[in-house]
Amino acid sequence: MTIFQYDHTFEGLLTALFDAYKRKTFPDMLLDRNETLPLFYDEVHEVTTDNEKAERVWKALKKKLSRTALATMTHCWLSETDGAPYLLLKFMQKVVDAPISVETNFSDPDILAVAQLGKKVNDEKHRILQFMRFQKTSEGIYYGIMDPIYNVFPLTIRHFSDRFNDQQWLIYDSRRHYGYYYNGKEIAEITFASHKEAHFTTGKLNDDILDKDEKLFQTLWKSYFKAICIKERLNPAKHKKDMPVRYWKYLTEKN
């Protein structure tokens, strides 16, 4: 059994594929450098991330895949699921080896698995765009926090920067402890030294740091939401399917 160890970066994954072709040996297992090796194996190859090699692989993939398929690969990587990197490695190998496009060959279990995982991540991205609720702070910054299953915030910042380009905003992933801050000109990735404050758990800012009108706007929104609700047409099962309960603690209209 041949094992490849890499630094768990996307560039490292692309470099691993480059090395596999150069060595004419593809791994039976792909491990992070911090992962424990199994008891029995034949060879371990240490992948040294090389941006030039990674770029060559990416250019080769761009020639054989549509923009949609490339985006699906990115989504799979951001899923952070245990088997995603090795799944992507096998997917890329099949793409490179095939004389024609195989991105829609869903009879292949690896290609189907990439498509299915990519869809789950894309669906989670759209839920964040739908359910993110901002609170205006006393400093004029619009603050939104959520804890998505997958690492989808990098997929949302373009939407928020286009939609709210005239406002300062901060979105934060409470599960992964990082976020993005837009100061009106540039976007920067941020994190906080401490996560003991209540708003990291509840998603609700304390009254003393809210804008003076924020409470009023929240009350008006709740009133509007209640007014448009037609009780006779309530369908709790469908409501929970369309708006999963795990998001409710972040929704103004639900609190």
Side-chain angles (χ1 to χ4, degrees):
M1 180 170 66
T2 300
I3 298 173
F4 277 22
Q5 284 191 310
Y6 77 125
D7 62 358
H8 204 70
T9 64
F10 191 66
E11 292 77 13
L13 179 65
L14 296 176
T15 304
L17 185 67
F18 185 98
D19 286 359
Y21 277 104
K22 184 175 182 180
R23 291 162 47 89
K24 298 181 180 179
T25 302
F26 286 84
D28 302 294
M29 186 178 292
L30 180 67
L31 297 179
D32 187 297
R33 285 176 184 159
N34 297 320
E35 290 185 85
T36 304
L37 291 170
L39 289 176
F40 304 105
Y41 55 87
D42 298 312
E43 179 187 15
V44 175
H45 169 62
E46 289 284 346
V47 176
T48 302
T49 299
D50 185 313
N51 289 331
E52 183 178 343
K53 292 178 180 178
E55 183 64 24
R56 288 176 62 181
V57 172
W58 187 247
K59 285 182 178 179
L61 292 170
K62 287 174 70 174
K63 292 178 181 179
K64 306 198 73 173
L65 291 172
S66 66
R67 291 179 63 181
T68 299
L70 292 169
T72 298
M73 283 183 56
T74 302
H75 293 169
C76 286
W77 175 258
L78 293 173
S79 73
E80 298 182 332
T81 53
D82 290 340
Y86 188 58
L87 173 64
L88 282 171
L89 190 72
K90 292 190 294 181
F91 173 83
M92 292 188 294
Q93 180 188 356
K94 290 177 179 181
V95 168
V96 173
D97 288 346
I100 60 175
S101 175
V102 295
E103 66 183 66
T104 58
N105 180 21
F106 300 127
S107 62
D108 184 294
D110 293 327
I111 294 172
L112 177 62
V114 167
Q116 291 175 331
L117 183 55
K119 184 180 185 305
K120 289 179 181 179
V121 175
N122 192 53
D123 288 346
E124 185 76 345
K125 177 195 76 172
H126 284 293
R127 291 191 187 102
I128 297 301
L129 298 181
Q130 285 178 295
F131 303 139
M132 180 69 77
R133 299 292 185 263
F134 287 95
Q135 303 163 76
K136 189 177 182 181
T137 71
S138 56
E139 296 179 343
I141 300 171
Y142 288 86
Y143 171 81
I145 183 171
M146 298 192 84
D147 60 341
I149 295 175
Y150 307 116
N151 185 20
V152 296
F153 269 32
L155 305 174
T156 68
I157 54 176
R158 181 175 179 180
H159 168 86
F160 289 125
S161 61
D162 288 344
R163 182 85 179 271
F164 307 113
N165 61 359
D166 59 342
Q167 301 168 350
Q168 294 183 67
W169 49 261
L170 188 159
I171 57 174
Y172 203 74
D173 184 331
S174 61
R175 182 176 301 215
R176 296 165 185 83
H177 305 308
Y178 86 101
Y180 295 97
Y181 170 62
Y182 177 67
N183 64 6
K185 296 180 181 179
E186 299 176 324
I187 298 174
E189 184 175 323
I190 63 165
T191 188
F192 293 108
S194 171
H195 297 88
K196 296 180 180 180
E197 292 82 358
H199 60 261
F200 286 116
T201 302
T202 65
K204 301 300 177 184
L205 293 174
N206 295 332
D207 289 351
D208 59 339
I209 57 175
L210 283 177
D211 181 80
K212 60 183 178 64
D213 294 325
E214 179 63 22
K215 277 290 183 181
L216 173 60
F217 289 137
Q218 290 184 13
T219 301
L220 290 173
W221 174 246
K222 291 178 183 179
S223 299
Y224 170 76
F225 185 79
K226 185 176 181 180
I228 64 172
C229 178
I230 303 173
K231 293 182 179 180
E232 292 75 17
R233 298 183 64 182
L234 287 178
N235 185 336
K238 187 176 188 306
H239 181 62
K240 291 179 180 179
K241 180 180 179 182
D242 295 340
M243 185 183 286
V245 175
R246 60 191 170 92
Y247 295 112
W248 287 12
K249 67 179 180 180
Y250 301 112
L251 305 181
T252 306
E253 61 270 27
K254 289 291 186 182
N255 295 280

